Amino acid sequence: MTRVQTTRLLPRPYRPLFAHADFRRLLPALAASDLGDGMSVVAVAWLAIEIAPPGRSGMLLGAALAAYALPGAAGALLFGRWLRRLPAGRLLVADSRIRAVLLGCVPLAWAAGVLHPVLYVALLAGSSVLHAWGSAGRYSLIAQILPPDQRLAANALVSSSGSASIVVGPALAGFLAAVISPAWLIGLDALSFAVLAAQVGRLRGAAAGQDGKGATAATAAPVDADGSAAGLRLLRKQPELLGVLALTWFFNFLYGPAEVALPLHVTDDLHAGAGLLGLYWTLFGAGAVLGGLAAGALRRFPLWPVTLGIVAGWGLALVPFGLGAPAAVTLACFTLGGLIYGPFTALSYTLFQERTPAASLTTVLAARSAALLTAGPVGTALGGPLVALLGPRQVLAASGIATVALAVIGAAVRVRGLRRVRTPSLL
Protein backbone atom coordinates (compact mmCIF):
# COMPACT_ATOMS: atom_id res chain seq x y z
CA MET A 1 0.00 0.00 0.00
CA THR A 2 1.44 3.39 -0.97
CA ARG A 3 1.84 6.33 1.41
CA VAL A 4 -0.98 8.19 -0.35
CA GLN A 5 -3.34 5.22 0.11
CA THR A 6 -2.34 4.90 3.76
CA THR A 7 -2.94 8.60 4.35
CA ARG A 8 -6.46 8.30 2.95
CA LEU A 9 -7.28 5.81 5.69
CA LEU A 10 -6.69 8.49 8.32
CA PRO A 11 -9.38 10.91 9.53
CA ARG A 12 -9.38 14.08 7.42
CA PRO A 13 -7.83 16.45 10.05
CA TYR A 14 -4.71 14.25 10.26
CA ARG A 15 -4.05 13.78 6.55
CA PRO A 16 -2.23 17.09 5.92
CA LEU A 17 0.31 16.30 8.65
CA PHE A 18 1.91 13.57 6.57
CA ALA A 19 2.62 15.95 3.72
CA HIS A 20 5.44 17.29 5.92
CA ALA A 21 8.57 15.19 5.61
CA ASP A 22 9.88 16.40 8.96
CA PHE A 23 6.74 15.35 10.80
CA ARG A 24 6.72 11.97 9.07
CA ARG A 25 10.26 11.36 10.35
CA LEU A 26 9.56 12.67 13.84
CA LEU A 27 6.30 10.92 14.75
CA PRO A 28 7.54 7.28 14.61
CA ALA A 29 10.61 8.20 16.65
CA LEU A 30 8.47 9.93 19.28
CA ALA A 31 6.18 6.91 19.39
CA ALA A 32 9.16 4.58 19.84
CA SER A 33 10.51 6.61 22.75
CA ASP A 34 7.04 6.67 24.35
CA LEU A 35 6.84 2.89 24.04
CA GLY A 36 10.31 2.56 25.57
CA ASP A 37 9.25 4.68 28.54
CA GLY A 38 6.08 2.60 28.86
CA MET A 39 8.17 -0.56 29.13
CA SER A 40 10.42 1.11 31.69
CA VAL A 41 7.45 1.51 34.03
CA VAL A 42 7.85 -2.22 34.69
CA ALA A 43 11.53 -2.71 33.83
CA VAL A 44 12.98 -0.08 36.19
CA ALA A 45 11.06 -1.48 39.16
CA TRP A 46 11.68 -5.13 38.32
CA LEU A 47 15.43 -4.68 37.87
CA ALA A 48 15.62 -2.84 41.20
CA ILE A 49 14.00 -5.85 42.88
CA GLU A 50 16.42 -8.25 41.17
CA ILE A 51 19.64 -6.45 42.12
CA ALA A 52 18.63 -5.29 45.62
CA PRO A 53 20.49 -6.79 48.60
CA PRO A 54 18.38 -9.17 50.71
CA GLY A 55 15.77 -7.31 52.70
CA ARG A 56 16.48 -3.99 50.92
CA SER A 57 14.29 -4.28 47.85
CA GLY A 58 11.77 -1.71 49.08
CA MET A 59 14.45 0.89 49.74
CA LEU A 60 16.14 0.40 46.39
CA LEU A 61 12.84 0.33 44.51
CA GLY A 62 11.76 3.63 46.04
CA ALA A 63 15.14 5.19 45.31
CA ALA A 64 15.14 3.94 41.70
CA LEU A 65 11.64 5.20 40.91
CA ALA A 66 12.37 8.55 42.55
CA ALA A 67 15.65 8.84 40.65
CA TYR A 68 13.78 8.23 37.40
CA ALA A 69 11.57 11.29 38.05
CA LEU A 70 12.84 13.70 40.74
CA PRO A 71 15.97 15.01 38.92
CA GLY A 72 13.74 15.93 35.97
CA ALA A 73 11.60 18.05 38.28
CA ALA A 74 14.70 19.69 39.74
CA GLY A 75 16.11 20.29 36.26
CA ALA A 76 12.90 22.00 35.18
CA LEU A 77 13.18 24.44 38.07
CA LEU A 78 16.95 25.00 38.20
CA PHE A 79 18.13 25.17 34.60
CA GLY A 80 15.58 27.54 33.10
CA ARG A 81 17.96 30.49 33.07
CA TRP A 82 20.23 28.70 30.58
CA LEU A 83 18.06 26.19 28.77
CA ARG A 84 15.01 28.26 27.84
CA ARG A 85 17.09 30.05 25.20
CA LEU A 86 18.08 26.82 23.45
CA PRO A 87 16.26 25.83 20.25
CA ALA A 88 13.71 23.05 20.64
CA GLY A 89 15.54 20.64 18.32
CA ARG A 90 18.86 20.96 20.13
CA LEU A 91 17.23 20.55 23.53
CA LEU A 92 15.30 17.45 22.47
CA VAL A 93 18.50 15.98 20.99
CA ALA A 94 20.44 16.74 24.20
CA ASP A 95 17.84 15.07 26.39
CA SER A 96 17.56 12.06 24.06
CA ARG A 97 21.32 11.56 23.90
CA ILE A 98 21.72 11.77 27.67
CA ARG A 99 18.97 9.21 28.16
CA ALA A 100 20.33 6.97 25.42
CA VAL A 101 23.85 6.95 26.88
CA LEU A 102 23.04 6.63 30.59
CA LEU A 103 20.14 4.20 30.22
CA GLY A 104 22.27 2.27 27.74
CA CYS A 105 24.91 1.85 30.45
CA VAL A 106 22.41 -0.08 32.60
CA PRO A 107 22.35 -3.30 30.52
CA LEU A 108 26.09 -3.02 29.85
CA ALA A 109 26.85 -2.75 33.57
CA TRP A 110 24.44 -5.60 34.29
CA ALA A 111 26.07 -7.84 31.67
CA ALA A 112 29.50 -7.04 33.09
CA GLY A 113 28.31 -7.90 36.61
CA VAL A 114 29.05 -4.42 38.01
CA LEU A 115 25.54 -2.98 38.29
CA HIS A 116 25.70 -2.00 41.95
CA PRO A 117 22.48 -0.47 43.37
CA VAL A 118 24.21 2.90 43.86
CA LEU A 119 25.39 2.89 40.24
CA TYR A 120 21.89 1.94 39.09
CA VAL A 121 20.25 4.83 40.94
CA ALA A 122 22.94 7.25 39.70
CA LEU A 123 22.41 6.22 36.06
CA LEU A 124 18.64 6.61 36.37
CA ALA A 125 19.02 10.00 38.03
CA GLY A 126 21.44 11.28 35.42
CA SER A 127 19.22 10.10 32.58
CA SER A 128 16.24 12.15 33.79
CA VAL A 129 17.93 15.50 34.48
CA LEU A 130 16.77 17.13 31.23
CA HIS A 131 13.64 15.08 30.64
CA ALA A 132 11.16 17.84 31.51
CA TRP A 133 12.97 20.09 29.05
CA GLY A 134 12.98 17.35 26.44
CA SER A 135 9.21 16.99 26.83
CA ALA A 136 8.77 20.72 26.39
CA GLY A 137 11.12 20.62 23.42
CA ARG A 138 9.07 18.05 21.52
CA TYR A 139 5.94 20.22 21.58
CA SER A 140 7.90 23.35 20.75
CA LEU A 141 9.46 21.48 17.84
CA ILE A 142 6.05 20.47 16.51
CA ALA A 143 4.97 24.12 16.64
CA GLN A 144 8.04 25.06 14.59
CA ILE A 145 7.73 22.50 11.81
CA LEU A 146 3.96 22.73 11.23
CA PRO A 147 1.64 25.63 10.34
CA PRO A 148 -0.70 26.85 13.12
CA ASP A 149 -3.83 25.22 11.69
CA GLN A 150 -2.25 21.75 11.88
CA ARG A 151 -0.76 21.90 15.36
CA LEU A 152 -3.83 20.75 17.27
CA ALA A 153 -4.07 17.55 15.23
CA ALA A 154 -0.34 16.95 15.61
CA ASN A 155 -0.48 17.49 19.38
CA ALA A 156 -3.39 15.06 19.57
CA LEU A 157 -1.39 12.39 17.74
CA VAL A 158 1.65 12.87 19.96
CA SER A 159 -0.37 12.84 23.20
CA SER A 160 -2.28 9.78 22.00
CA SER A 161 1.05 8.04 21.50
CA GLY A 162 1.90 8.75 25.13
CA SER A 163 -1.47 7.42 26.29
CA ALA A 164 -1.13 4.28 24.18
CA SER A 165 2.32 3.60 25.62
CA ILE A 166 0.80 3.43 29.11
CA VAL A 167 -1.39 0.58 27.90
CA VAL A 168 0.99 -1.28 25.57
CA GLY A 169 4.39 -0.68 27.20
CA PRO A 170 3.85 -2.38 30.59
CA ALA A 171 2.13 -5.38 28.99
CA LEU A 172 4.96 -5.81 26.50
CA ALA A 173 7.56 -5.44 29.25
CA GLY A 174 5.80 -8.00 31.41
CA PHE A 175 5.81 -10.47 28.53
CA LEU A 176 9.45 -9.86 27.55
CA ALA A 177 10.70 -9.96 31.16
CA ALA A 178 9.86 -13.67 31.19
CA VAL A 179 12.39 -14.15 28.37
CA ILE A 180 15.10 -11.54 28.90
CA SER A 181 16.40 -9.52 31.84
CA PRO A 182 14.65 -6.21 32.57
CA ALA A 183 18.08 -4.63 32.11
CA TRP A 184 17.78 -5.30 28.38
CA LEU A 185 14.33 -3.71 28.36
CA ILE A 186 15.89 -0.55 29.74
CA GLY A 187 18.45 -0.93 26.95
CA LEU A 188 15.59 -0.94 24.43
CA ASP A 189 14.35 2.29 25.99
CA ALA A 190 17.84 3.72 25.53
CA LEU A 191 17.86 2.58 21.91
CA SER A 192 14.53 4.32 21.29
CA PHE A 193 16.01 7.61 22.49
CA ALA A 194 19.07 7.12 20.30
CA VAL A 195 16.72 6.75 17.33
CA LEU A 196 14.84 9.88 18.40
CA ALA A 197 18.06 11.90 18.64
CA ALA A 198 19.11 10.73 15.18
CA GLN A 199 15.74 11.55 13.64
CA VAL A 200 15.61 15.03 15.14
CA GLY A 201 19.10 15.60 13.77
CA ARG A 202 17.79 14.86 10.27
CA LEU A 203 15.09 17.53 10.41
CA ARG A 204 15.55 20.49 8.15
CA GLY A 205 15.97 23.81 9.92
CA ALA A 206 14.30 22.70 13.15
CA ALA A 207 17.33 20.71 14.27
CA ALA A 208 19.42 23.80 13.78
CA GLY A 209 16.96 25.72 15.91
CA GLN A 210 15.27 27.67 13.14
CA ASP A 211 11.58 28.33 12.71
CA GLY A 212 11.54 27.85 8.96
CA LYS A 213 12.23 31.54 8.22
CA GLY A 214 15.85 31.54 9.27
CA ALA A 215 15.13 32.80 12.78
CA THR A 216 16.30 31.00 15.87
CA ALA A 217 13.40 29.74 17.95
CA ALA A 218 13.66 29.22 21.71
CA THR A 219 12.00 26.43 23.62
CA ALA A 220 8.97 26.99 25.83
CA ALA A 221 10.06 26.35 29.42
CA PRO A 222 8.41 23.41 31.21
CA VAL A 223 8.09 25.68 34.23
CA ASP A 224 8.27 29.47 34.07
CA ALA A 225 10.23 30.41 37.20
CA ASP A 226 9.26 34.10 37.06
CA GLY A 227 5.65 33.19 36.39
CA SER A 228 5.74 30.68 39.24
CA ALA A 229 6.80 33.32 41.77
CA ALA A 230 4.14 35.76 40.55
CA GLY A 231 1.55 32.99 40.52
CA LEU A 232 2.29 32.02 44.12
CA ARG A 233 1.74 35.64 45.17
CA LEU A 234 -1.65 35.60 43.46
CA LEU A 235 -2.57 32.24 45.02
CA ARG A 236 -2.03 33.62 48.52
CA LYS A 237 -4.96 35.96 47.87
CA GLN A 238 -7.25 33.16 46.64
CA PRO A 239 -7.83 30.53 49.35
CA GLU A 240 -10.00 28.37 47.09
CA LEU A 241 -7.24 27.95 44.52
CA LEU A 242 -4.74 27.25 47.27
CA GLY A 243 -7.10 24.52 48.41
CA VAL A 244 -7.21 23.00 44.92
CA LEU A 245 -3.41 23.09 44.75
CA ALA A 246 -3.02 21.53 48.20
CA LEU A 247 -5.53 18.79 47.36
CA THR A 248 -3.72 17.98 44.11
CA TRP A 249 -0.28 17.99 45.75
CA PHE A 250 -1.28 15.59 48.51
CA PHE A 251 -3.21 13.40 46.06
CA ASN A 252 -0.12 13.00 43.90
CA PHE A 253 2.08 12.60 46.98
CA LEU A 254 -0.06 9.78 48.38
CA TYR A 255 0.00 8.05 45.00
CA GLY A 256 3.82 7.78 45.16
CA PRO A 257 4.08 5.06 47.86
CA ALA A 258 1.55 2.91 45.98
CA GLU A 259 3.80 3.01 42.91
CA VAL A 260 6.61 1.53 45.01
CA ALA A 261 4.47 -0.98 46.88
CA LEU A 262 2.74 -2.53 43.86
CA PRO A 263 5.80 -4.32 42.36
CA LEU A 264 6.72 -5.71 45.78
CA HIS A 265 3.14 -6.79 46.38
CA VAL A 266 3.39 -8.80 43.16
CA THR A 267 6.66 -10.47 44.17
CA ASP A 268 6.37 -10.80 47.96
CA ASP A 269 2.63 -11.24 48.53
CA LEU A 270 1.44 -12.85 45.30
CA HIS A 271 4.73 -14.61 44.43
CA ALA A 272 4.18 -13.73 40.76
CA GLY A 273 6.38 -12.39 37.98
CA ALA A 274 6.77 -9.28 35.85
CA GLY A 275 3.89 -10.34 33.61
CA LEU A 276 1.37 -9.72 36.39
CA LEU A 277 2.94 -6.35 37.22
CA GLY A 278 2.68 -5.38 33.56
CA LEU A 279 -0.97 -6.45 33.56
CA TYR A 280 -1.72 -4.21 36.57
CA TRP A 281 -0.25 -1.16 34.85
CA THR A 282 -1.83 -2.00 31.49
CA LEU A 283 -5.29 -2.24 32.99
CA PHE A 284 -4.70 0.92 35.01
CA GLY A 285 -3.59 2.75 31.86
CA ALA A 286 -6.59 1.53 29.87
CA GLY A 287 -8.90 2.67 32.66
CA ALA A 288 -7.15 6.05 32.86
CA VAL A 289 -7.48 6.62 29.11
CA LEU A 290 -11.21 5.85 29.24
CA GLY A 291 -11.62 7.98 32.35
CA GLY A 292 -9.83 10.89 30.72
CA LEU A 293 -12.16 10.69 27.74
CA ALA A 294 -15.12 10.76 30.12
CA ALA A 295 -13.99 14.00 31.74
CA GLY A 296 -16.14 16.04 29.35
CA ALA A 297 -19.29 14.22 30.46
CA LEU A 298 -18.51 15.03 34.10
CA ARG A 299 -18.45 18.73 33.26
CA ARG A 300 -22.22 18.99 33.83
CA PHE A 301 -21.76 18.22 37.54
CA PRO A 302 -20.31 20.58 40.20
CA LEU A 303 -16.53 20.37 39.84
CA TRP A 304 -15.53 20.43 43.51
CA PRO A 305 -17.71 17.47 44.60
CA VAL A 306 -16.66 15.46 41.53
CA THR A 307 -12.97 16.17 42.17
CA LEU A 308 -13.24 15.15 45.82
CA GLY A 309 -15.18 12.06 44.76
CA ILE A 310 -12.35 11.07 42.42
CA VAL A 311 -9.83 11.38 45.26
CA ALA A 312 -11.98 9.24 47.56
CA GLY A 313 -12.73 6.72 44.80
CA TRP A 314 -9.06 6.14 44.02
CA GLY A 315 -8.34 5.64 47.71
CA LEU A 316 -11.14 3.10 48.06
CA ALA A 317 -9.79 1.18 45.04
CA LEU A 318 -6.55 0.55 46.96
CA VAL A 319 -8.11 -0.66 50.22
CA PRO A 320 -8.83 -4.25 49.02
CA PHE A 321 -5.07 -4.79 48.60
CA GLY A 322 -4.71 -4.54 52.37
CA LEU A 323 -7.54 -7.00 52.96
CA GLY A 324 -5.69 -9.81 51.22
CA ALA A 325 -8.03 -9.88 48.22
CA PRO A 326 -7.00 -12.28 45.42
CA ALA A 327 -5.22 -10.99 42.35
CA ALA A 328 -8.35 -11.10 40.17
CA VAL A 329 -10.14 -8.75 42.57
CA THR A 330 -7.24 -6.31 42.92
CA LEU A 331 -6.75 -6.27 39.15
CA ALA A 332 -10.39 -5.22 38.80
CA CYS A 333 -9.90 -2.61 41.54
CA PHE A 334 -6.79 -1.22 39.87
CA THR A 335 -8.62 -0.96 36.55
CA LEU A 336 -11.49 0.83 38.27
CA GLY A 337 -8.95 3.03 40.04
CA GLY A 338 -7.46 4.06 36.69
CA LEU A 339 -10.95 4.83 35.37
CA ILE A 340 -11.66 7.00 38.42
CA TYR A 341 -8.22 8.64 38.35
CA GLY A 342 -8.34 9.47 34.64
CA PRO A 343 -10.45 12.68 34.72
CA PHE A 344 -8.68 14.22 37.72
CA THR A 345 -6.05 16.27 35.90
CA ALA A 346 -8.52 17.75 33.42
CA LEU A 347 -10.99 18.66 36.16
CA SER A 348 -8.25 20.13 38.34
CA TYR A 349 -7.12 22.37 35.48
CA THR A 350 -10.73 23.37 34.85
CA LEU A 351 -11.14 24.47 38.47
CA PHE A 352 -8.09 26.70 38.08
CA GLN A 353 -9.35 28.08 34.78
CA GLU A 354 -12.79 28.92 36.17
CA ARG A 355 -11.60 30.46 39.44
CA THR A 356 -8.70 32.51 38.00
CA PRO A 357 -9.03 35.86 36.19
CA ALA A 358 -7.98 35.49 32.54
CA ALA A 359 -5.15 37.99 32.91
CA SER A 360 -3.59 35.95 35.74
CA LEU A 361 -4.17 32.43 34.41
CA THR A 362 -0.72 31.86 32.89
CA THR A 363 1.15 32.91 36.02
CA VAL A 364 -1.14 30.90 38.30
CA LEU A 365 -0.75 27.75 36.17
CA ALA A 366 3.03 28.23 36.22
CA ALA A 367 2.90 28.25 40.02
CA ARG A 368 0.72 25.14 39.93
CA SER A 369 3.22 23.28 37.75
CA ALA A 370 6.19 24.32 39.89
CA ALA A 371 4.49 23.21 43.11
CA LEU A 372 3.30 19.85 41.77
CA LEU A 373 6.59 18.79 40.19
CA THR A 374 7.83 17.52 43.54
CA ALA A 375 4.70 15.75 44.81
CA GLY A 376 4.91 12.39 43.05
CA PRO A 377 8.71 11.93 43.28
CA VAL A 378 8.76 12.83 46.99
CA GLY A 379 5.94 10.35 47.66
CA THR A 380 7.80 7.71 45.68
CA ALA A 381 11.01 8.31 47.63
CA LEU A 382 9.06 7.92 50.89
CA GLY A 383 7.50 4.70 49.61
CA GLY A 384 10.74 2.72 49.97
CA PRO A 385 11.16 3.18 53.73
CA LEU A 386 7.42 2.68 54.28
CA VAL A 387 7.40 -0.64 52.43
CA ALA A 388 10.47 -1.78 54.37
CA LEU A 389 8.71 -0.87 57.65
CA LEU A 390 5.14 -2.00 56.97
CA GLY A 391 5.18 -4.32 53.97
CA PRO A 392 3.78 -3.70 50.47
CA ARG A 393 0.20 -4.80 51.09
CA GLN A 394 -0.09 -2.58 54.13
CA VAL A 395 1.40 0.41 52.30
CA LEU A 396 -1.11 0.05 49.46
CA ALA A 397 -3.97 -0.03 51.97
CA ALA A 398 -2.50 2.84 54.00
CA SER A 399 -2.10 4.93 50.85
CA GLY A 400 -5.75 4.26 50.02
CA ILE A 401 -7.02 5.07 53.52
CA ALA A 402 -4.94 8.25 53.69
CA THR A 403 -6.29 9.30 50.30
CA VAL A 404 -9.88 8.79 51.46
CA ALA A 405 -9.06 10.83 54.56
CA LEU A 406 -7.67 13.55 52.29
CA ALA A 407 -10.98 13.68 50.43
CA VAL A 408 -12.91 13.91 53.72
CA ILE A 409 -10.66 16.71 54.99
CA GLY A 410 -10.99 18.51 51.64
CA ALA A 411 -14.79 18.24 51.80
CA ALA A 412 -14.83 19.57 55.38
CA VAL A 413 -12.62 22.53 54.47
CA ARG A 414 -14.77 23.23 51.42
CA VAL A 415 -18.03 23.19 53.45
CA ARG A 416 -16.50 25.42 56.10
CA GLY A 417 -15.38 27.87 53.44
CA LEU A 418 -18.84 28.00 51.88
CA ARG A 419 -20.43 28.64 55.29
CA ARG A 420 -18.07 31.54 55.90
CA VAL A 421 -19.02 33.08 52.57
CA ARG A 422 -22.76 32.67 53.23
CA THR A 423 -22.68 33.88 56.86
CA PRO A 424 -22.84 37.70 57.06
CA SER A 425 -20.26 39.37 59.22
CA LEU A 426 -21.48 40.67 62.61
CA LEU A 427 -18.81 43.35 62.73
Side-chain angles (χ1 to χ4, degrees):
M1 186 177 291
T2 65
R3 180 170 60 83
V4 173
Q5 290 173 319
T6 302
T7 302
R8 286 177 179 171
L9 298 176
L10 296 170
R12 188 176 297 275
Y14 298 102
R15 294 176 190 174
L17 299 175
F18 294 89
H20 296 270
D22 283 347
F23 186 78
R24 289 200 308 272
R25 295 191 186 104
L26 183 62
L27 183 61
L30 291 175
S33 68
D34 287 336
L35 180 60
D37 277 344
M39 290 193 297
S40 287
V41 169
V42 170
V44 168
W46 206 255
L47 183 57
I49 293 172
E50 286 191 355
I51 68 172
R56 307 284 289 178
S57 56
M59 298 293 290
L60 180 57
L61 179 54
L65 292 176
Y68 203 53
L70 191 56
L77 294 169
L78 298 176
F79 300 148
R81 179 178 180 182
W82 300 278
L83 296 182
R84 72 179 64 196
R85 297 183 178 88
L86 287 180
R90 287 178 56 190
L91 195 51
L92 183 53
V93 167
D95 172 52
S96 299
R97 287 176 176 170
I98 288 174
R99 288 178 75 77
V101 171
L102 295 183
L103 292 179
C105 288
V106 171
L108 296 178
W110 178 86
V114 296
L115 188 61
H116 188 274
V118 174
L119 175 61
Y120 182 49
V121 171
L123 290 172
L124 292 175
S127 74
S128 70
V129 166
L130 293 185
H131 201 42
W133 287 95
S135 297
R138 67 170 59 193
Y139 285 100
S140 296
L141 187 57
I142 289 170
Q144 292 171 25
I145 65 180
L146 293 173
D149 61 337
Q150 295 178 15
R151 291 172 187 168
L152 178 59
N155 289 336
L157 277 179
V158 173
S159 62
S160 296
S161 169
S163 298
S165 72
I166 298 173
V167 178
V168 178
L172 182 60
F175 171 76
L176 291 176
V179 182
I180 60 175
S181 167
W184 296 115
L185 298 180
I186 296 174
L188 291 177
D189 193 12
L191 180 61
S192 73
F193 278 98
V195 171
L196 179 57
Q199 287 294 81
V200 174
R202 294 178 59 200
L203 302 186
R204 299 168 298 180
Q210 296 181 348
D211 61 4
K213 299 179 181 179
T216 299
T219 304
V223 174
D224 184 343
D226 295 332
S228 298
L232 287 172
R233 289 193 293 270
L234 289 170
L235 284 172
R236 293 192 192 102
K237 303 175 183 177
Q238 301 190 50
E240 185 181 20
L241 290 183
L242 273 178
V244 178
L245 182 61
L247 176 72
T248 309
W249 195 95
F250 281 104
F251 188 33
N252 292 346
F253 169 76
L254 292 173
Y255 170 80
E259 192 173 8
V260 177
L262 181 62
L264 293 171
H265 171 65
V266 170
T267 58
D268 297 354
D269 298 331
L270 301 179
H271 307 290
L276 181 59
L277 177 61
L279 183 58
Y280 271 108
W281 285 120
T282 296
L283 293 175
F284 173 85
V289 170
L290 293 175
L293 293 174
L298 296 174
R299 184 63 183 85
R300 70 185 70 177
F301 301 102
L303 292 180
W304 258 108
V306 171
T307 302
L308 290 169
I310 289 172
V311 175
W314 165 251
L316 289 173
L318 292 179
V319 172
F321 284 90
L323 301 177
V329 173
T330 55
L331 281 168
C333 289
F334 216 59
T335 307
L336 180 61
L339 185 67
I340 295 170
Y341 186 90
F344 181 82
T345 300
L347 294 179
S348 175
Y349 268 112
T350 302
L351 278 169
F352 268 83
Q353 291 166 343
E354 290 195 349
R355 306 303 197 265
T356 306
S360 306
L361 183 59
T362 300
T363 53
V364 168
L365 289 181
R368 179 190 184 279
S369 297
L372 295 181
L373 275 171
T374 59
V378 171
T380 301
L382 182 63
L386 285 177
V387 169
L389 180 65
L390 302 175
R393 180 180 291 162
Q394 290 75 16
V395 168
L396 284 164
S399 174
I401 293 169
T403 303
V404 173
L406 173 65
V408 173
I409 293 170
V413 171
R414 175 67 176 162
V415 169
R416 184 179 179 185
L418 289 175
R419 286 178 177 172
R420 282 184 175 179
V421 171
R422 292 171 182 171
T423 302
S425 174
L426 300 178
L427 298 178

